[in-house]
Amino acid sequence: MAKRKLKKNNTYHSSSVASVKPKSQKEMAQTEKSATFALAAVALVVAVCVAPLAAEISSSDIHHHKHLSLKMDEAQLTVNNELSYEVQVSWMSQRCYQCLYQQLGVVPAGLGPGQPSSVNFVVSTQHEITVQINSTPIELELCKIPFHFGEHGNYSLWVKTLNASFGVNCSVVTDKDPVNSYIPILVAFLIYALLALVFAIGKKVWGLDAVRGLVLRLGSSMETERLINSELGPTRVVPPVTDNILPPPLTSSKRLRSLDTFRGISLVIMVFVNYGGGRYWFFRHESWNGLTVADLVFPWFVFIMGTSIALSINALLRAGATRCSLLRKAVWRSLQLFIIGVLVINPNYCQGALAWENLRIPGVLQRLAWSYLVVACLDLLVARGQLDVITVDAWWSPAIDFLLYWPAWLCVILLEVLWLFLTFLLPVPDCPTGYLGPGGIGDMGLYVNCTGGAAGFIDRLLLGEKHMYQNPSSRVIYATRIPYDPEGVLGSINSILMAFLGLQAGKIILHYRERPKSIMSRFLIWGLSLGVISAFLTKCSTDRGFIPVNKNLWSLSYVTTLACFAFVLLMLVYYIVDVNKWWSGAPFYYPGMNSILVYVGHEVFEDYFPFRWRMSNSQSHAEHLIQNLVATSCWVIISYLLYKKKIFWKI
């Protein structure tokens, strides 16, 4: 959303009201190993050396008021009241749907003509807000101004009486221009883009026969000279330089690099946002309805897990494994994931040693465990070890990847019916049936303790409030008061659907494995179909649809929307990486090959150097961004080193 920039004394935003009005409501061939390592290392060094781009807050003598100490995403607003009575200043975020105004404070009456009383306030700059001025003690709306304040900017809001009437005029003037807090993102993007360009050019240059021959001759000459100088006697066979650079020969059981690349993309972004994402709001989870970058990656990880299930079970069945043995492996793997999630990376460690009284039971790995177990069982129910005997000449062959597995689809549909029933028909005490809102100050504060409706109620009933997530994202904008877990029980049903849609992508790859164009067209068809479903469920709006896109609820529209994106993104990565081989998938391919280790490791070592250090200015987006990029780059380098040593942690 573009910020309004207003120049002092000549540009302002005003709002006038002729008479008093009542309140109103508003909301991607493996790449060369050594070259890749050098690329990642250079990226890390450059990221460390980037100087923080922070702006200093200078003092201003406007009205001789002392300026407040501002943090990230804050601005100063000075309200100047020339009226003969005091006024109350309130605010509401435009991302807050049907919310109550929150009070900023009271400004006393003016001292006389041309002698306004002034009070300084700190306001949020993440989103556009609406400032409301009311009279006191009778709360009557005098004026209302929507405005997007800039970070560390200073603004004045003047409240005056119109000359020819009893109406009130309100205008906002920019006293000090805000800083551009997005410059560090641009700088980081340009650095990584430049490194990628250098790497691409280097790869092309290395592919030239003249360059490669020169390197080989230089290497051979250096080795001969070393042997002569050291008087080692007969020469020994030295592996050519290319052994460490060229990819291994292709095998019949070639692994699709696009799948690991897709998984790595999801994982790298997940690590980055978990480390803080530079403290930018769009790298944090949305407070309630809607999407940010942080809301995309977990469903994609669940999706590609489902795809891997289809390929893995098919390969094992073709190798002669029994369904019972595969079922035992699935149960054991799910149990390990669940235990690691509860006992190793539980967020309650922030409060000290774990104790049952406040142990959070749901979590990311716990949901992965549950989704993996259910989808693996469904696939074992219908999976076929030999697919070559299936005809593709029948009239129903275009839907072969769907119709052959109708029992599993029936189970998933029944699960979705259960989700719909519980969400919209389960009575929740003191809350409207079918409520999907955030509670708190949302919905005009009528349902303060109804956060999540049936989803929150079921978690509190089955788990208890002390075993749930205590700091949900809904507190940021909606000021909710009760615990709510975004990885709760009811949302797990839709995570199964997400993994099953990924399983469907795996079935497409299996049935059309010799026809890449068919695979890509099927991916596009699925993506388009799911997009249409999402448009219907949401009415193409954030808050006004039948089922809004909501990460906290893992709503049906959230799953269909993210699955739509996943099919399209997987198609693009498959086309670029496996079909045309324009890209090896590096560097995302490497963490994608060691996903569990990277995820668990980034959680366990989050507070250790070099993943975190004491910053000189904790209120700088630039310093946070540098720290988070360095930490994420470290895990990419670690995953590359583990890949080079052929170390993979599998559960």
Side-chain angles (χ1 to χ4, degrees):
M1 186 180 296
K3 297 183 180 179
R4 298 182 178 88
K5 293 189 176 180
L6 300 154
K7 301 301 179 181
K8 181 178 178 181
N9 300 329
N10 59 9
T11 307
Y12 60 91
H13 185 94
S14 66
S15 173
S16 62
V17 181
S19 59
V20 175
K21 300 187 296 186
K23 287 184 178 180
S24 62
Q25 309 174 6
K26 278 186 131 179
E27 218 229 301
M28 180 281 54
Q30 172 182 355
T31 188
E32 294 83 350
K33 293 182 179 179
S34 58
T36 302
F37 180 75
L39 171 64
V42 172
L44 178 60
V45 172
V46 174
V48 173
C49 296
V50 174
L53 301 172
E56 297 181 356
I57 305 301
S58 60
S59 300
S60 173
D61 59 352
I62 299 175
H63 310 301
H64 305 284
H65 288 293
K66 182 179 179 180
H67 284 263
L68 302 174
S69 177
L70 299 176
K71 301 179 180 179
M72 285 187 295
D73 303 319
E74 289 183 348
Q76 176 176 303
L77 175 64
T78 301
V79 179
N80 304 285
N81 181 21
E82 291 190 357
L83 305 181
S84 59
Y85 49 89
E86 66 180 19
V87 297
Q88 179 176 292
V89 184
S90 305
W91 73 281
M92 181 184 69
S93 172
Q94 291 299 297
R95 299 294 287 265
C96 196
Y97 181 64
Q98 293 184 338
C99 286
L100 294 173
Y101 278 86
Q102 301 177 74
Q103 186 172 343
L104 271 178
V106 175
V107 182
L111 303 178
Q115 293 182 309
S117 61
S118 303
V119 177
N120 294 337
F121 301 103
V122 175
V123 293
S124 173
T125 64
Q126 290 187 351
H127 309 291
E128 179 180 342
I129 68 173
T130 297
V131 179
Q132 184 183 63
I133 306 296
N134 292 338
S135 63
T136 60
I138 302 175
E139 286 196 24
L140 295 176
E141 180 185 312
L142 300 177
C143 61
K144 185 187 297 182
I145 299 180
F147 197 86
H148 197 161
F149 295 94
E151 183 174 342
H152 294 175
N154 292 335
Y155 303 86
S156 292
L157 192 160
W158 292 85
V159 184
K160 303 178 182 180
T161 302
L162 294 175
N163 295 329
S165 67
F166 295 101
V168 174
N169 173 268
C170 299
S171 59
V172 175
V173 177
T174 301
D175 299 323
K176 177 179 177 295
D177 288 331
V179 300
N180 191 338
S181 59
Y182 302 115
I183 290 181
I185 296 181
L186 177 61
V187 173
F189 172 79
L190 292 176
I191 290 174
Y192 281 99
L194 179 61
L195 290 174
L197 180 61
V198 170
F199 171 73
I201 294 175
K203 184 179 178 181
K204 288 291 185 181
V205 172
W206 176 254
L208 298 176
D209 293 338
V211 175
R212 184 171 300 186
L214 177 61
V215 172
L216 291 175
R217 287 195 298 272
L218 288 175
S220 177
S221 299
M222 292 175 63
E223 178 64 14
T224 301
E225 183 179 355
R226 188 187 68 82
L227 291 173
I228 294 175
N229 292 338
S230 59
E231 297 180 352
L232 292 178
T235 60
R236 55 188 176 88
V237 178
V238 178
V241 177
T242 54
D243 283 359
N244 295 325
I245 299 176
L246 295 178
L250 296 177
T251 62
S252 58
S253 57
K254 178 186 175 183
R255 182 181 180 114
L256 288 176
R257 295 180 66 93
S258 56
L259 303 186
D260 294 306
T261 301
F262 183 98
R263 185 186 298 109
I265 292 173
S266 304
L267 183 59
V268 168
I269 300 176
M270 189 185 301
V271 170
F272 176 67
V273 299
N274 285 352
Y275 276 148
R279 297 297 188 269
Y280 291 99
W281 67 266
F282 43 83
F283 290 137
R284 296 178 179 177
H285 293 296
E286 184 60 81
S287 187
W288 199 248
N289 295 333
L291 288 175
T292 64
V293 175
D295 298 322
L296 305 177
V297 290
F298 185 30
W300 288 353
F301 197 87
V302 175
F303 179 91
I304 205 65
M305 180 184 70
T307 306
S308 299
I309 290 174
L311 302 180
S312 176
I313 289 181
N314 174 262
L316 292 171
L317 289 175
R318 292 171 60 190
T322 64
R323 296 179 190 269
C324 289
S325 65
L326 295 181
L327 178 59
R328 287 193 297 268
K329 288 182 179 180
V331 173
W332 174 234
R333 186 181 192 189
S334 300
L335 182 60
Q336 291 180 84
L337 285 172
F338 190 89
I339 293 174
I340 293 173
V342 173
L343 300 182
V344 178
I345 60 174
N346 199 295
N348 285 28
Y349 278 115
C350 297
Q351 305 170 13
L354 288 183
W356 172 252
E357 290 75 14
N358 63 349
L359 181 68
R360 183 194 179 195
I361 298 176
V364 171
L365 289 186
Q366 295 90 310
R367 176 160 286 186
L368 285 174
W370 169 251
S371 303
Y372 176 84
L373 178 60
V374 175
V375 173
C377 290
L378 289 174
D379 194 33
L380 286 172
L381 178 67
V382 298
R384 297 167 177 254
Q386 298 297 330
L387 301 176
D388 296 333
V389 298
I390 301 175
T391 180
V392 295
D393 297 326
W395 62 269
W396 46 269
S397 60
I400 193 173
D401 52 313
F402 177 83
L403 297 177
L404 288 177
Y405 308 103
W406 66 266
W409 273 103
L410 180 60
C411 293
V412 171
I413 291 173
L414 291 176
L415 283 174
E416 279 308 307
V417 171
L418 176 62
W419 182 86
L420 291 169
F421 176 84
L422 293 175
T423 299
F424 292 102
L425 298 179
L426 179 68
V428 179
D430 302 321
C431 301
T433 302
Y435 182 69
L436 298 176
I441 63 173
D443 300 294
M444 306 311 296
L446 297 176
Y447 317 112
V448 176
N449 295 320
C450 294
T451 303
F457 173 70
I458 291 174
D459 287 343
R460 292 190 294 271
L461 184 65
L462 298 180
L463 305 174
E465 289 192 1
K466 292 185 178 181
H467 300 289
M468 298 168 58
Y469 191 50
Q470 301 297 309
N471 298 292
S473 60
S474 55
R475 290 189 175 184
V476 176
I477 291 181
Y478 289 93
T480 57
R481 304 174 182 175
I482 61 176
Y484 180 83
D485 209 304
E487 279 77 50
V489 176
L490 193 55
S492 297
I493 295 178
N494 283 336
S495 70
I496 292 172
L497 174 61
M498 189 74 188
F500 193 79
L501 290 170
L503 185 80
Q504 182 66 30
K507 298 299 184 182
I508 293 172
I509 293 173
L510 289 172
H511 285 286
Y512 301 95
R513 58 191 181 278
E514 303 298 333
R515 295 185 288 170
K517 289 185 179 179
S518 297
I519 292 177
M520 292 186 292
S521 63
R522 296 293 291 177
F523 283 174
L524 284 178
I525 291 172
W526 274 96
L528 178 61
S529 301
L530 291 166
V532 170
I533 294 174
S534 295
F536 171 77
L537 293 176
T538 63
K539 297 182 179 179
C540 298
S541 68
T542 301
D543 300 295
R544 303 179 184 277
F546 302 110
I547 305 178
V549 174
N550 189 295
K551 190 268 179 187
N552 284 286
L553 296 171
W554 268 70
S555 62
L556 180 57
S557 59
Y558 175 69
V559 171
T560 56
T561 301
L562 271 297
C564 166
F565 296 165
F567 271 109
V568 175
L569 179 59
L570 182 57
M571 184 273 296
L572 293 174
V573 176
Y574 174 73
Y575 179 72
I576 296 172
V577 175
D578 286 321
V579 177
N580 283 327
K581 305 187 188 310
W582 291 337
W583 178 35
S584 67
F588 303 107
Y589 174 75
Y590 304 111
M593 290 286 288
N594 238 328
S595 56
I596 296 298
L597 185 146
V598 171
Y599 182 81
V600 175
H602 101 277
E603 289 279 5
V604 172
F605 297 102
E606 177 181 4
D607 294 322
Y608 292 83
F609 183 84
F611 310 109
R612 181 167 295 177
W613 60 84
R614 186 182 298 275
M615 293 179 289
S616 60
N617 182 8
S618 62
Q619 297 302 318
S620 166
H621 280 294
E623 288 202 41
H624 280 282
L625 184 64
I626 292 171
Q627 186 178 89
N628 301 152
L629 287 174
V630 169
T632 306
S633 299
C634 284
W635 285 111
V636 174
I637 294 173
I638 290 171
S639 62
Y640 169 75
L641 295 175
L642 293 173
Y643 174 84
K644 187 177 180 181
K645 297 293 184 180
K646 302 186 184 301
I647 299 175
F648 305 102
W649 184 26
K650 296 183 179 180
I651 294 178

